[in-house]
């Protein structure tokens, strides 16, 4: 829809349109809704891939090179970044800790988030949903950061 209304394909205008009208919809509530299936991630990423290919002078450039040229990150990387920022906000009391995520301070490893255990009697389907939840993904991403950053 955006491309049918605007005829210009200049990088500045296209990036502004993309960031304000397209990416904001793709990233809505991304710390909570974070796809883990490869097909879902690729489907979301394909929107950015198709849009950046329509920018003047970038059609024949590989997707990852287009992102670098436009100073953009992949949508998956941005979602991971939002999750880590939200974890930082929980740690520092900037936002509520509704999930009761616990942090443990370790001298060699910095602040580590505790991953709450799942119920042992949970079915495989419930375990899979649990593993994809913010309560698990947030601490995993947080703990994967270099200790001097957290």
């Amino acid at each position: 829809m955006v491309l049918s209304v605007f005829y210009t394909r200049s990088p500045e205008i296209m990036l502004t349109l993309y960031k304000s009208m397209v990416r904001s919809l793709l990233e809505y509530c991304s710390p909570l809704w974070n796809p883990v299936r490869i097909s879902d991630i690729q489907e979301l990423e394909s929107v950015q891939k198709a849009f950046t290919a329509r920018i003047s002078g970038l059609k024949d450039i590989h997707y990852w090179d287009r992102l670098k040229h436009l100073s953009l990150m992949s949508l998956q990387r941005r979602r991971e970044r939002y999750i880590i920022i939200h974890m930082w906000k929980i740690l520092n009391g900037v936002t509520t800790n509704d999930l009761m995520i616990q942090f443990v301070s370790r001298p060699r490893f910095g602040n580590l988030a505790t991953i709450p255990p799942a119920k042992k009697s949970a079915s495989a389907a419930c375990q899979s949903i649990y593993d994809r939840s913010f309560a698990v993904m947030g601490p995993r991403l947080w703990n994967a950061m270099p200790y001097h950053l957290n």
Side-chain angles (χ1 to χ4, degrees):
M1 175 94 175
V2 173
L3 295 174
S4 65
V5 175
F6 294 90
Y7 293 108
T8 182
R9 297 293 186 254
S10 72
E12 297 81 21
I13 293 173
M14 291 290 284
L15 270 178
T16 302
L17 289 171
Y18 174 72
K19 289 177 181 179
S20 62
M21 302 181 86
V22 178
R23 190 171 70 184
S24 60
L25 295 174
L26 295 173
E27 293 181 339
Y28 178 74
C29 216
S30 64
L32 300 177
W33 182 82
N34 185 29
V36 292
R37 289 190 351 213
I38 299 297
S39 61
D40 293 340
I41 293 169
Q42 289 173 339
E43 188 173 347
L44 284 172
E45 208 68 44
S46 71
V47 175
Q48 181 167 278
K49 187 176 186 178
F51 199 96
T52 58
R54 306 286 295 270
I55 296 175
S56 179
L58 299 179
K59 182 179 183 180
D60 297 324
I61 298 176
H62 190 270
Y63 173 59
W64 296 103
D65 294 330
R66 284 196 306 263
L67 292 182
K68 188 174 182 179
H69 178 77
L70 297 169
S71 299
L72 294 174
M73 288 189 275
S74 72
L75 295 173
Q76 176 65 22
R77 180 66 59 215
R78 287 179 60 88
R79 283 190 301 277
E80 291 170 351
R81 182 174 173 257
Y82 289 142
I83 290 171
I84 291 171
I85 289 170
H86 194 75
M87 290 293 293
W88 180 89
K89 288 179 177 181
I90 290 171
L91 173 67
N92 291 288
V94 177
T95 190
T96 58
N97 187 359
D98 296 335
L99 298 172
M100 304 307 291
I101 295 172
Q102 302 293 315
F103 291 90
V104 178
S105 182
R106 300 267 166 83
R108 286 186 56 206
F109 303 112
N111 294 313
L112 296 177
T114 305
I115 299 172
K119 293 181 180 179
K120 293 181 182 182
S121 62
S123 67
C126 288
Q127 182 66 40
S128 177
I129 292 169
Y130 173 76
D131 288 340
R132 295 186 308 235
S133 71
F134 181 82
V136 174
M137 290 300 296
R140 282 186 183 157
L141 285 170
W142 179 263
N143 294 342
M145 288 191 328
Y147 77 92
H148 63 277
L149 295 179
N150 64 22

